[in-house]
Amino acid sequence: MLGIPSLSVEYLKVPCSGPADLTGYTVEMAVLPDGQDPTSGDWKPASWIGSDAAVLIGPGTGLPLTKGVTYRPWVRITASPEKPVLKGDLVHAE
C-alpha cells in the first residue's frame, strides 16, 4: 500500500496496460475511500504519464485526501465500444 501525506499535492498514477497503446484514449479517474464503487459524479479527467493514468490529488484539487483514510483509485478508459474500469492499488493518506 502506498502512503501519501494528506498535505501533498501530486499526481496519483495507476499503471495501465492492454493489447495496444492505450494513451490515445480518453482516461478518467475516481479516488474513493476503499470499499466504495464510483458513481457518475466521481469521475475526474485524468491524463497519461507514460503508460500510467494520472490525476492530481491533494489540497486545492478536486481530489483532496483526508488523513487516516485508505483510498482506492479507479481508472476508466473510453475505447469505443468498450469502456473498461480498472482498480488501482490502495493508497493511505498519512
Side-chain angles (χ1 to χ4, degrees), residues 6-53:
S6 62
L7 299 176
S8 183
V9 175
E10 60 185 87
Y11 281 100
L12 176 59
K13 297 180 240 176
V14 176
C16 298
S17 62
D21 180 15
L22 300 174
T23 61
Y25 297 111
T26 300
V27 64
E28 301 165 289
M29 290 180 65
V31 181
L32 300 168
D34 188 34
Q36 293 183 17
D37 290 342
T39 61
S40 61
D42 295 323
W43 296 104
K44 308 293 183 206
S47 58
W48 293 105
I49 298 178
S51 61
D52 295 343

Short mmCIF file of all heavy atoms in Angstrom, two decimals, residues 6-53:
data_model
loop_
_atom_site.label_atom_id
_atom_site.label_comp_id
_atom_site.label_asym_id
_atom_site.label_seq_id
_atom_site.Cartn_x
_atom_site.Cartn_y
_atom_site.Cartn_z
N SER A 6 -1.35 13.63 3.46
CA SER A 6 -2.60 14.29 3.08
C SER A 6 -2.37 15.74 2.67
O SER A 6 -3.22 16.33 2.01
CB SER A 6 -3.61 14.22 4.23
OG SER A 6 -3.11 14.89 5.37
N LEU A 7 -1.23 16.33 3.03
CA LEU A 7 -0.92 17.71 2.67
C LEU A 7 -0.22 17.84 1.33
O LEU A 7 0.00 18.95 0.84
CB LEU A 7 -0.05 18.35 3.76
CG LEU A 7 -0.69 18.42 5.15
CD1 LEU A 7 0.31 18.96 6.17
CD2 LEU A 7 -1.95 19.26 5.12
N SER A 8 0.14 16.72 0.73
CA SER A 8 0.89 16.72 -0.52
C SER A 8 -0.03 16.92 -1.72
O SER A 8 -1.14 16.39 -1.77
CB SER A 8 1.63 15.39 -0.67
OG SER A 8 2.42 15.37 -1.83
N VAL A 9 0.43 17.72 -2.69
CA VAL A 9 -0.25 17.84 -3.97
C VAL A 9 0.66 17.15 -4.99
O VAL A 9 1.80 17.59 -5.20
CB VAL A 9 -0.48 19.32 -4.36
CG1 VAL A 9 -1.09 19.41 -5.76
CG2 VAL A 9 -1.38 20.00 -3.34
N GLU A 10 0.16 16.07 -5.57
CA GLU A 10 0.98 15.29 -6.50
C GLU A 10 0.09 14.44 -7.40
O GLU A 10 -1.10 14.28 -7.14
CB GLU A 10 1.96 14.40 -5.74
CG GLU A 10 1.31 13.40 -4.81
CD GLU A 10 2.33 12.63 -3.98
OE1 GLU A 10 2.71 13.12 -2.91
OE2 GLU A 10 2.75 11.54 -4.44
N TYR A 11 0.71 13.90 -8.45
CA TYR A 11 -0.02 13.01 -9.34
C TYR A 11 -0.08 11.61 -8.73
O TYR A 11 0.93 11.06 -8.32
CB TYR A 11 0.64 12.93 -10.72
CG TYR A 11 0.31 14.11 -11.59
CD1 TYR A 11 1.22 15.16 -11.73
CD2 TYR A 11 -0.91 14.20 -12.24
CE1 TYR A 11 0.90 16.26 -12.51
CE2 TYR A 11 -1.24 15.29 -13.02
CZ TYR A 11 -0.32 16.32 -13.16
OH TYR A 11 -0.64 17.40 -13.93
N LEU A 12 -1.29 11.08 -8.66
CA LEU A 12 -1.50 9.69 -8.30
C LEU A 12 -1.55 8.92 -9.62
O LEU A 12 -2.36 9.24 -10.49
CB LEU A 12 -2.81 9.53 -7.53
CG LEU A 12 -3.21 8.10 -7.17
CD1 LEU A 12 -2.15 7.43 -6.30
CD2 LEU A 12 -4.56 8.10 -6.46
N LYS A 13 -0.67 7.94 -9.74
CA LYS A 13 -0.55 7.21 -11.01
C LYS A 13 -0.98 5.76 -10.84
O LYS A 13 -0.68 5.14 -9.81
CB LYS A 13 0.89 7.26 -11.51
CG LYS A 13 1.36 8.67 -11.81
CD LYS A 13 2.79 8.67 -12.30
CE LYS A 13 3.62 9.50 -11.36
NZ LYS A 13 5.02 9.52 -11.64
N VAL A 14 -1.65 5.24 -11.85
CA VAL A 14 -2.07 3.84 -11.88
C VAL A 14 -1.56 3.25 -13.19
O VAL A 14 -1.93 3.73 -14.27
CB VAL A 14 -3.60 3.70 -11.79
CG1 VAL A 14 -4.01 2.24 -11.93
CG2 VAL A 14 -4.13 4.28 -10.48
N PRO A 15 -0.69 2.23 -13.12
CA PRO A 15 -0.21 1.59 -14.35
C PRO A 15 -1.36 0.94 -15.12
O PRO A 15 -2.24 0.32 -14.52
CB PRO A 15 0.78 0.53 -13.86
CG PRO A 15 1.07 0.88 -12.44
CD PRO A 15 -0.11 1.64 -11.92
N CYS A 16 -1.36 1.12 -16.43
CA CYS A 16 -2.39 0.54 -17.29
C CYS A 16 -1.72 -0.13 -18.48
O CYS A 16 -0.80 0.43 -19.07
CB CYS A 16 -3.34 1.63 -17.81
SG CYS A 16 -4.24 2.49 -16.53
N SER A 17 -2.19 -1.32 -18.81
CA SER A 17 -1.65 -1.99 -19.99
C SER A 17 -2.77 -2.72 -20.71
O SER A 17 -3.81 -3.02 -20.12
CB SER A 17 -0.53 -2.96 -19.60
OG SER A 17 -1.06 -3.97 -18.76
N GLY A 18 -2.55 -2.96 -21.96
CA GLY A 18 -3.53 -3.66 -22.78
C GLY A 18 -2.87 -4.22 -24.00
O GLY A 18 -1.64 -4.16 -24.14
N PRO A 19 -3.65 -4.74 -24.93
CA PRO A 19 -3.07 -5.33 -26.13
C PRO A 19 -2.50 -4.29 -27.09
O PRO A 19 -1.81 -4.63 -28.04
CB PRO A 19 -4.25 -6.07 -26.77
CG PRO A 19 -5.45 -5.37 -26.25
CD PRO A 19 -5.09 -4.86 -24.88
N ALA A 20 -2.79 -3.01 -26.84
CA ALA A 20 -2.30 -1.93 -27.70
C ALA A 20 -1.96 -0.73 -26.80
O ALA A 20 -2.24 -0.73 -25.61
CB ALA A 20 -3.36 -1.54 -28.73
N ASP A 21 -1.38 0.29 -27.40
CA ASP A 21 -1.08 1.53 -26.69
C ASP A 21 -2.40 2.20 -26.29
O ASP A 21 -3.23 2.51 -27.14
CB ASP A 21 -0.26 2.45 -27.60
CG ASP A 21 0.10 3.76 -26.94
OD1 ASP A 21 -0.03 3.89 -25.71
OD2 ASP A 21 0.52 4.68 -27.67
N LEU A 22 -2.59 2.43 -25.01
CA LEU A 22 -3.84 3.00 -24.51
C LEU A 22 -3.83 4.52 -24.46
O LEU A 22 -4.87 5.14 -24.28
CB LEU A 22 -4.14 2.46 -23.10
CG LEU A 22 -4.30 0.96 -22.98
CD1 LEU A 22 -4.45 0.56 -21.51
CD2 LEU A 22 -5.49 0.49 -23.79
N THR A 23 -2.66 5.13 -24.62
CA THR A 23 -2.53 6.57 -24.38
C THR A 23 -3.29 7.45 -25.36
O THR A 23 -3.44 8.64 -25.11
CB THR A 23 -1.05 6.98 -24.34
OG1 THR A 23 -0.44 6.68 -25.60
CG2 THR A 23 -0.31 6.26 -23.23
N GLY A 24 -3.81 6.89 -26.42
CA GLY A 24 -4.62 7.66 -27.35
C GLY A 24 -6.08 7.75 -26.94
O GLY A 24 -6.86 8.46 -27.57
N TYR A 25 -6.44 7.04 -25.89
CA TYR A 25 -7.83 7.02 -25.44
C TYR A 25 -8.06 8.01 -24.29
O TYR A 25 -7.15 8.33 -23.54
CB TYR A 25 -8.22 5.61 -24.97
CG TYR A 25 -8.17 4.58 -26.06
CD1 TYR A 25 -7.21 3.59 -26.06
CD2 TYR A 25 -9.09 4.61 -27.10
CE1 TYR A 25 -7.17 2.63 -27.07
CE2 TYR A 25 -9.06 3.66 -28.12
CZ TYR A 25 -8.09 2.68 -28.09
OH TYR A 25 -8.05 1.75 -29.08
N THR A 26 -9.31 8.44 -24.16
CA THR A 26 -9.70 9.31 -23.05
C THR A 26 -9.64 8.50 -21.76
O THR A 26 -10.12 7.36 -21.70
CB THR A 26 -11.12 9.85 -23.27
OG1 THR A 26 -11.13 10.59 -24.48
CG2 THR A 26 -11.55 10.74 -22.12
N VAL A 27 -9.07 9.11 -20.71
CA VAL A 27 -8.95 8.43 -19.43
C VAL A 27 -9.51 9.33 -18.32
O VAL A 27 -9.36 10.55 -18.37
CB VAL A 27 -7.48 8.03 -19.14
CG1 VAL A 27 -6.58 9.24 -19.00
CG2 VAL A 27 -7.38 7.15 -17.91
N GLU A 28 -10.21 8.71 -17.39
CA GLU A 28 -10.75 9.39 -16.22
C GLU A 28 -10.37 8.58 -14.98
O GLU A 28 -10.13 7.37 -15.09
CB GLU A 28 -12.27 9.46 -16.29
CG GLU A 28 -12.82 10.19 -17.50
CD GLU A 28 -14.29 9.92 -17.68
OE1 GLU A 28 -14.63 8.78 -18.05
OE2 GLU A 28 -15.06 10.84 -17.44
N MET A 29 -10.34 9.26 -13.83
CA MET A 29 -10.06 8.56 -12.59
C MET A 29 -11.02 9.01 -11.50
O MET A 29 -11.50 10.14 -11.50
CB MET A 29 -8.61 8.78 -12.14
CG MET A 29 -7.61 8.08 -13.04
SD MET A 29 -5.89 8.34 -12.54
CE MET A 29 -5.82 7.52 -10.96
N ALA A 30 -11.28 8.09 -10.57
CA ALA A 30 -12.03 8.37 -9.35
C ALA A 30 -11.15 7.87 -8.21
O ALA A 30 -10.50 6.83 -8.33
CB ALA A 30 -13.37 7.65 -9.36
N VAL A 31 -11.12 8.61 -7.12
CA VAL A 31 -10.35 8.22 -5.94
C VAL A 31 -11.31 8.28 -4.76
O VAL A 31 -11.75 9.35 -4.36
CB VAL A 31 -9.13 9.15 -5.72
CG1 VAL A 31 -8.33 8.70 -4.50
CG2 VAL A 31 -8.24 9.18 -6.96
N LEU A 32 -11.65 7.09 -4.24
CA LEU A 32 -12.69 6.98 -3.22
C LEU A 32 -12.20 6.17 -2.03
O LEU A 32 -11.31 5.32 -2.18
CB LEU A 32 -13.92 6.29 -3.80
CG LEU A 32 -14.57 6.97 -5.00
CD1 LEU A 32 -15.57 6.05 -5.65
CD2 LEU A 32 -15.24 8.25 -4.53
N PRO A 33 -12.80 6.40 -0.85
CA PRO A 33 -12.46 5.53 0.28
C PRO A 33 -12.64 4.07 -0.11
O PRO A 33 -13.59 3.73 -0.83
CB PRO A 33 -13.46 5.96 1.36
CG PRO A 33 -13.74 7.40 1.04
CD PRO A 33 -13.76 7.44 -0.47
N ASP A 34 -11.73 3.22 0.35
CA ASP A 34 -11.78 1.81 -0.01
C ASP A 34 -13.13 1.22 0.37
O ASP A 34 -13.68 1.51 1.43
CB ASP A 34 -10.66 1.05 0.70
CG ASP A 34 -10.54 -0.38 0.23
OD1 ASP A 34 -10.79 -0.64 -0.96
OD2 ASP A 34 -10.21 -1.25 1.07
N GLY A 35 -13.69 0.43 -0.53
CA GLY A 35 -14.99 -0.20 -0.32
C GLY A 35 -16.12 0.49 -1.04
O GLY A 35 -17.22 -0.06 -1.11
N GLN A 36 -15.87 1.68 -1.57
CA GLN A 36 -16.90 2.40 -2.32
C GLN A 36 -16.65 2.26 -3.82
O GLN A 36 -15.52 2.38 -4.26
CB GLN A 36 -16.90 3.89 -1.96
CG GLN A 36 -17.33 4.18 -0.55
CD GLN A 36 -17.39 5.68 -0.27
OE1 GLN A 36 -17.40 6.50 -1.18
NE2 GLN A 36 -17.41 6.02 0.99
N ASP A 37 -17.72 2.02 -4.56
CA ASP A 37 -17.64 1.99 -6.02
C ASP A 37 -17.93 3.38 -6.57
O ASP A 37 -18.74 4.11 -6.01
CB ASP A 37 -18.65 1.00 -6.60
CG ASP A 37 -18.29 -0.45 -6.31
OD1 ASP A 37 -17.13 -0.72 -5.98
OD2 ASP A 37 -19.20 -1.29 -6.41
N PRO A 38 -17.26 3.77 -7.66
CA PRO A 38 -17.51 5.10 -8.23
C PRO A 38 -18.90 5.21 -8.86
O PRO A 38 -19.42 4.24 -9.41
CB PRO A 38 -16.41 5.26 -9.28
CG PRO A 38 -15.87 3.91 -9.52
CD PRO A 38 -16.21 3.06 -8.37
N THR A 39 -19.47 6.40 -8.76
CA THR A 39 -20.71 6.73 -9.45
C THR A 39 -20.39 7.80 -10.48
O THR A 39 -19.25 8.31 -10.53
CB THR A 39 -21.79 7.23 -8.47
OG1 THR A 39 -21.32 8.42 -7.84
CG2 THR A 39 -22.11 6.18 -7.41
N SER A 40 -21.35 8.18 -11.28
CA SER A 40 -21.09 9.08 -12.41
C SER A 40 -20.41 10.38 -12.00
O SER A 40 -19.55 10.89 -12.71
CB SER A 40 -22.37 9.36 -13.18
OG SER A 40 -23.32 9.99 -12.35
N GLY A 41 -20.75 10.96 -10.85
CA GLY A 41 -20.16 12.23 -10.43
C GLY A 41 -18.76 12.12 -9.85
O GLY A 41 -18.11 13.14 -9.60
N ASP A 42 -18.27 10.90 -9.64
CA ASP A 42 -16.94 10.71 -9.03
C ASP A 42 -15.79 10.79 -10.04
O ASP A 42 -14.64 10.97 -9.65
CB ASP A 42 -16.87 9.34 -8.33
CG ASP A 42 -17.81 9.25 -7.15
OD1 ASP A 42 -17.98 10.26 -6.44
OD2 ASP A 42 -18.38 8.16 -6.94
N TRP A 43 -16.08 10.63 -11.31
CA TRP A 43 -15.03 10.58 -12.33
C TRP A 43 -14.48 11.96 -12.62
O TRP A 43 -15.21 12.90 -12.83
CB TRP A 43 -15.54 9.94 -13.61
CG TRP A 43 -15.93 8.50 -13.40
CD1 TRP A 43 -17.20 8.01 -13.30
CD2 TRP A 43 -15.06 7.40 -13.23
NE1 TRP A 43 -17.17 6.66 -13.08
CE2 TRP A 43 -15.87 6.25 -13.02
CE3 TRP A 43 -13.68 7.25 -13.21
CZ2 TRP A 43 -15.33 4.98 -12.82
CZ3 TRP A 43 -13.14 5.98 -13.01
CH2 TRP A 43 -13.96 4.87 -12.83
N LYS A 44 -13.14 12.07 -12.61
CA LYS A 44 -12.43 13.32 -12.91
C LYS A 44 -11.56 13.10 -14.15
O LYS A 44 -11.01 12.01 -14.35
CB LYS A 44 -11.53 13.74 -11.75
CG LYS A 44 -12.21 13.81 -10.40
CD LYS A 44 -13.24 14.89 -10.35
CE LYS A 44 -13.86 14.98 -8.96
NZ LYS A 44 -15.16 15.52 -8.93
N PRO A 45 -11.40 14.13 -14.99
CA PRO A 45 -10.49 13.98 -16.13
C PRO A 45 -9.09 13.63 -15.64
O PRO A 45 -8.61 14.19 -14.64
CB PRO A 45 -10.51 15.37 -16.78
CG PRO A 45 -11.76 16.02 -16.29
CD PRO A 45 -12.02 15.45 -14.92
N ALA A 46 -8.47 12.71 -16.32
CA ALA A 46 -7.11 12.31 -15.98
C ALA A 46 -6.25 12.45 -17.24
O ALA A 46 -6.74 12.82 -18.31
CB ALA A 46 -7.10 10.86 -15.48
N SER A 47 -4.98 12.19 -17.08
CA SER A 47 -4.05 12.28 -18.21
C SER A 47 -3.16 11.05 -18.20
O SER A 47 -3.18 10.24 -17.28
CB SER A 47 -3.24 13.57 -18.13
OG SER A 47 -2.53 13.63 -16.92
N TRP A 48 -2.37 10.94 -19.24
CA TRP A 48 -1.41 9.84 -19.34
C TRP A 48 -0.02 10.38 -19.03
O TRP A 48 0.39 11.39 -19.58
CB TRP A 48 -1.43 9.25 -20.75
CG TRP A 48 -2.71 8.55 -21.08
CD1 TRP A 48 -3.69 9.02 -21.90
CD2 TRP A 48 -3.14 7.28 -20.62
NE1 TRP A 48 -4.72 8.11 -21.97
CE2 TRP A 48 -4.41 7.03 -21.19
CE3 TRP A 48 -2.60 6.33 -19.77
CZ2 TRP A 48 -5.12 5.86 -20.95
CZ3 TRP A 48 -3.31 5.16 -19.53
CH2 TRP A 48 -4.55 4.93 -20.11
N ILE A 49 0.69 9.70 -18.16
CA ILE A 49 2.11 9.95 -17.92
C ILE A 49 2.79 8.63 -18.27
O ILE A 49 2.72 7.67 -17.49
CB ILE A 49 2.41 10.39 -16.48
CG1 ILE A 49 1.70 11.71 -16.16
CG2 ILE A 49 3.92 10.51 -16.25
CD1 ILE A 49 1.88 12.21 -14.74
N GLY A 50 3.38 8.58 -19.45
CA GLY A 50 3.85 7.30 -19.97
C GLY A 50 2.64 6.40 -20.17
O GLY A 50 1.65 6.80 -20.76
N SER A 51 2.70 5.18 -19.62
CA SER A 51 1.55 4.27 -19.73
C SER A 51 0.72 4.28 -18.45
O SER A 51 -0.14 3.41 -18.27
CB SER A 51 2.05 2.86 -20.04
OG SER A 51 2.88 2.39 -18.99
N ASP A 52 0.96 5.25 -17.56
CA ASP A 52 0.19 5.37 -16.32
C ASP A 52 -0.93 6.39 -16.48
O ASP A 52 -0.71 7.49 -17.01
CB ASP A 52 1.08 5.83 -15.16
CG ASP A 52 2.17 4.85 -14.79
OD1 ASP A 52 2.07 3.67 -15.19
OD2 ASP A 52 3.10 5.26 -14.09
N ALA A 53 -2.12 6.04 -16.00
CA ALA A 53 -3.19 7.03 -15.85
C ALA A 53 -2.83 7.86 -14.64
O ALA A 53 -2.35 7.33 -13.62
CB ALA A 53 -4.52 6.34 -15.66
#
